[in-house]
Amino acid sequence: MWDASKCDLCGDCLVKCLYVDYDKDKAVADIKALMEGKEADILHKCITCCACSEYCPTGADPFDLILKMLEKTRAFPVAQEMIGFFEGAFAIPNELIPGDPDKPVFSLCIMEHWLPDRALDSQLFNGLTVVKGGEYFCLLGYVHLGLESPIEKKAQEFIDKLASLGKDIVFLHDDCYAMVNAKVKDYGITVPFNYMHLFEYLRNYLRDHQSSITKLGKKVAYHRPCASRYTPEKDAFLDEIFELIGVERPPRKYERETALCCAASIILVYPEFAAEVQAKNVNDAIECGADAIITLCPMCDRALRRPTTQYGLRKIFITNLCRMALGEEPWPELAA
Ligand code: SF4
Ligand code: SF4
């Protein structure tokens, strides 16, 4: 949540923004204007990647300030298709597939549809109870429409729905984890259940089944979703996963704090800029010597299908990568 008392007007948030070219004076002028509730140039350039809050050294949460001003001014150009997607999402029927009573619930929210083939068809998920459907969807993605109020409106309902399961939860979708682990605190909501990110779950499984792993011996880049700006600490789980499955993460320009957005939120409104961002991201992964790029968010996975095919890089969803190490699927050929 934006905390003006923590802002010392250093300007780092917007100087580091990868989508504008601001010097310190310009950055400070924009932040000052926003703090005073006024229009600022950044509202017309922001692509809602949430990164500035991670860049802020004092924890003032500048993206929250930008988001509130985006909602107030409606400066972000939202495609009607995106509004329709979110409005329709909550109406997707819920489903509960029971698993072993002593194993956690795996929440897919509404993301199953965007997963690549066989992403969940694995021993990794044996015995988990599975829930999916609109009421398990956190709506955090509304930030990519420059809106926060719909998230807050449904936040308590979302937590109550998960709490009603009476079990520990593993989240497939990075957004849902970010919502539960970070965003609901802004709304004063307490989370009354234990939960875990997919990375932690996969790390635990692989650590417990090391004799089933054949090390892959590959170099793999990671495309980090924007929701991870709320929970950057879990990158350490991915490093452990890579070590367990024999994958090297070659250093590259656009990763960890300097990760680029998949550009899904701007494909419809700024298509040329979106293509430029995607090209930078994929080509950077190629230039660092990666044999593939992995995704964590099903929406990012979908958004990166075209550019990875276009530039000739394998794109693999994280669970498919783990399946390869477990001998459940082969290393993929490059898409033609
Ligand atoms: S949310 Fe992303 S694009 Fe928007 S100002 Fe912050 S860093 Fe820049
Ligand atoms: S919000 Fe944070 S990074 Fe931005 S000017 Fe204030 S203190 Fe600096």
Side-chain angles (χ1 to χ4, degrees):
M1 189 190 300
W2 167 246
D3 185 345
S5 71
K6 289 186 178 170
C7 179
D8 59 9
L9 293 173
C10 68
D12 283 3
C13 47
L14 301 189
V15 169
K16 287 186 175 181
C17 171
L18 294 168
Y19 310 96
V20 296
D21 186 16
Y22 279 14
D23 61 19
K24 180 174 172 169
D25 289 347
K26 172 70 175 150
V28 170
D30 272 26
I31 289 291
K32 263 187 181 168
L34 296 176
M35 286 169 80
E36 290 163 12
K38 296 179 187 156
E39 268 272 3
D41 185 48
I42 193 65
L43 297 178
H44 302 280
K45 297 199 166 138
C46 175
I47 69 159
T48 68
C49 80
C50 318
C52 39
S53 286
E54 193 178 1
Y55 300 147
C56 174
T58 65
D61 200 354
F63 177 62
D64 192 53
L65 172 66
I66 290 171
L67 182 60
K68 285 180 168 57
M69 288 302 290
L70 284 174
E71 178 148 7
K72 182 176 164 190
T73 60
R74 301 289 166 139
F76 189 74
V78 179
Q80 202 49 46
E81 291 96 318
M82 295 291 276
I83 301 267
F85 168 79
F86 280 97
E87 286 179 352
F90 214 70
I92 294 174
N94 298 322
E95 195 179 340
L96 186 152
I97 304 163
D100 296 348
D102 58 339
K103 290 197 173 175
V105 169
F106 191 23
S107 176
L108 311 185
C109 66
I110 61 160
M111 285 296 124
E112 195 177 17
H113 174 69
W114 285 274
L115 285 170
D117 291 345
R118 299 176 302 282
L120 304 182
D121 181 14
S122 173
Q123 61 179 283
L124 289 160
F125 307 111
N126 281 351
L128 298 187
T129 293
V130 172
V131 292
K132 47 189 160 180
E135 287 179 273
Y136 297 107
F137 185 44
C138 68
L139 300 179
L140 187 67
Y142 263 111
V143 301
H144 301 306
L145 278 60
L147 299 171
E148 177 164 27
S149 54
I151 306 169
E152 183 169 9
K153 199 171 152 201
K154 290 282 185 189
Q156 186 68 61
E157 222 174 293
F158 169 69
I159 295 297
D160 291 347
K161 185 73 186 169
L162 291 165
S164 71
L165 296 166
K167 297 184 77 157
D168 294 359
I169 315 274
V170 178
F171 290 106
L172 168 73
H173 194 200
D174 201 41
D175 282 42
C176 293
Y177 181 79
M179 180 74 173
V180 167
N181 198 53
K183 193 68 186 155
V184 295
K185 290 177 189 151
D186 290 358
Y187 310 139
I189 295 172
T190 306
V191 178
F193 50 83
N194 297 320
Y195 56 89
M196 187 184 285
H197 188 266
L198 178 65
F199 277 170
E200 187 177 0
Y201 176 80
L202 293 174
R203 188 282 309 263
N204 292 350
Y205 186 93
L206 294 167
R207 202 169 52 185
D208 293 346
H209 296 80
Q210 292 188 48
S211 60
S212 305
I213 295 172
T214 303
K215 303 251 183 193
L216 292 171
K218 301 289 185 188
K219 290 184 180 179
V220 175
Y222 171 43
H223 170 78
R224 184 185 193 234
C226 292
S228 286
R229 302 289 179 178
Y230 290 95
T231 56
E233 63 283 351
K234 62 185 196 298
D235 242 38
F237 290 123
L238 183 64
D239 291 332
E240 278 189 75
I241 291 170
F242 274 15
E243 203 180 321
L244 284 160
I245 64 175
V247 162
E248 183 189 334
R249 185 174 175 179
R252 71 184 191 113
K253 185 173 176 187
Y254 299 120
E255 69 167 352
R256 303 188 197 262
E257 193 180 283
T258 53
L260 283 170
C261 171
C262 72
S265 61
I266 54 166
I267 281 172
L268 295 171
V269 289
Y270 302 130
E272 284 174 17
F273 189 46
E276 198 184 302
V277 171
Q278 291 178 332
K280 266 194 207 175
N281 192 5
V282 173
N283 286 320
D284 178 57
I286 293 170
E287 281 159 22
C288 80
D291 302 302
I293 188 166
I294 59 149
T295 56
L296 165 62
C297 167
M299 299 300 275
C300 296
D301 192 88
R302 178 62 66 97
L304 292 178
R305 282 178 201 179
R306 185 201 52 77
T308 49
T309 304
Q310 181 182 349
Y311 296 109
L313 182 65
R314 293 172 190 83
K315 176 196 55 55
I316 302 170
F317 191 71
I318 177 63
T319 57
N320 293 92
L321 185 74
C322 296
R323 292 184 74 236
M324 289 168 201
L326 293 167
E328 294 180 339
E329 69 176 84
W331 182 256
E333 296 298 322
L334 261 177

